[in-house]
């Protein structure tokens, strides 16, 4: 079954607030999140899944589950097919005590971004090759999000912002926002490269100390 990412006439923040209000409870599963999104589609879900990473609060296990879901959604965008998600991932219980307040804070940040989003550079967001490239970029962001670096500042925030901007840009046909998403992906890649180099240098220093 093919999928179609239609233009959205509703502000992203309004959709997020409405969805967050519908999932309050003791626990939530990815399946329930997808149901709550309804006809708004998978790009809205993709944006929703980035919200916990927009503020410096670590929720154990979220980056793995949400990152995997984002990768599957991005694969659907690339292949233009509805995504298949394993039942184990769909039914995994996530505590909402910390998640819902975090989602609300993320939605507050998106509401400020809404003022700057508008249709422009539409050729970067229309169906075809551009959307497949954007889907590949979202997948790359999801992979970066799953890296076990949650305790390091900005390691989840940078790819989360990149994915959010890509999803919003595609939904609102805003090529400038899509380009901003690519910028944050580049920034994340450079940041992770610096972390790897620092870890390698520290390891070399320690090995020299004990020789």
């Amino acid at each position: 079954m093919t999928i179609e990412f239609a233009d959205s006439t509703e502000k992203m923040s309004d959709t997020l607030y409405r969805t967050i209000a519908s999932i309050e409870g003791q626990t939530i599963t990815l399946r329930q999140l997808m149901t709550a999104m309804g006809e708004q589609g998978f790009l809205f879900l993709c944006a929703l899944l980035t919200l916990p990473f927009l503020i410096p609060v670590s929720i154990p296990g979220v980056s793995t589950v949400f990152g995997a879901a984002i990768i599957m959604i991005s694969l659907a965008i690339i292949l233009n097919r509805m995504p298949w998600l394993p039942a184990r991932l769909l039914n995994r219980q996530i505590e909402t005590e910390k998640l819902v307040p975090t989602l609300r804070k993320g939605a507050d940040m998106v509401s400020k971004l809404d003022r700057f989003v508008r249709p422009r550079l539409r050729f970067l967001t229309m169906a075809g090759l551009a959307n497949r490239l954007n889907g590949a970029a979202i997948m790359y962001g999801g992979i970066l999000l799953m890296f076990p670096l949650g305790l390091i500042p900005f390691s989840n925030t940078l790819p989360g912002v990149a994915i959010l901007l890509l999803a919003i840009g595609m939904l609102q046909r805003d090529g400038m926002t899509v380009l901003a998403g690519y910028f944050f992906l580049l920034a994340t890649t450079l940041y992770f490269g610096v972390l790897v180099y620092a870890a390698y240098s520290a390891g070399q220093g320690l090995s020299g100390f004990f020789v």
Side-chain angles (χ1 to χ4, degrees):
M1 179 179 177
T2 60
I3 53 177
E4 188 80 22
F5 295 114
D7 296 1
S8 172
T9 57
E10 183 178 30
K11 289 183 178 180
M12 175 68 75
S13 56
D14 291 341
T15 302
L16 294 174
Y17 284 130
R18 174 168 49 78
T19 303
I20 293 167
S22 70
I23 64 174
E24 290 185 278
Q26 295 297 316
T27 60
I28 188 71
T29 66
L30 185 58
R31 187 187 301 276
Q32 289 171 312
L33 279 174
M34 294 176 71
T35 300
M37 294 308 295
E39 63 183 12
Q40 295 294 344
F42 287 103
L43 282 173
F44 275 122
L45 176 60
C46 206
L48 179 72
L49 296 178
T50 66
L51 298 188
F53 312 112
L54 301 186
I55 59 176
V57 175
S58 178
I59 304 176
V62 170
S63 64
T64 301
V65 177
F66 285 11
I70 288 170
I71 290 172
M72 296 305 296
I73 293 170
S74 66
L75 184 61
I77 297 171
I78 296 170
L79 300 178
N80 196 32
R81 292 289 187 276
M82 295 293 285
W84 173 85
L85 296 175
R88 184 176 181 181
L89 179 64
L90 287 171
N91 297 326
R92 182 171 174 177
Q93 297 287 331
I94 300 172
E95 297 289 334
T96 60
E97 181 180 357
K98 292 183 178 179
L99 179 61
V100 169
T102 302
L103 290 175
R104 284 207 185 97
K105 290 179 181 178
D108 290 341
M109 297 177 67
V110 172
S111 68
K112 297 176 182 178
L113 180 63
D114 275 339
R115 294 177 294 174
F116 304 100
V117 177
R118 60 183 183 276
R120 51 191 167 177
L121 301 180
R122 294 170 65 93
F123 67 93
L124 295 174
T125 65
M126 301 303 288
L129 178 60
N131 271 354
R132 287 183 172 85
L133 290 174
N134 294 337
I138 291 175
M139 177 179 287
Y140 179 55
I143 293 171
L144 294 176
L145 196 61
M146 293 182 70
F147 277 26
L149 301 172
L151 296 179
I152 298 177
F154 305 113
S155 61
N156 283 338
T157 302
L158 288 173
V161 170
I163 296 166
L164 175 65
L165 291 173
L166 287 162
I168 292 177
M170 292 175 70
L171 278 167
Q172 305 289 346
R173 299 294 188 232
D174 187 353
M176 287 295 293
T177 300
V178 168
L179 288 177
Y182 279 100
F183 171 80
F184 272 91
L185 279 182
L186 176 60
T188 305
T189 302
L190 294 174
Y191 183 53
F192 281 16
V194 169
L195 292 177
V196 170
Y197 179 76
Y200 173 78
S201 297
Q204 290 291 97
L206 286 175
S207 63
F209 177 78
F210 289 107
V211 170

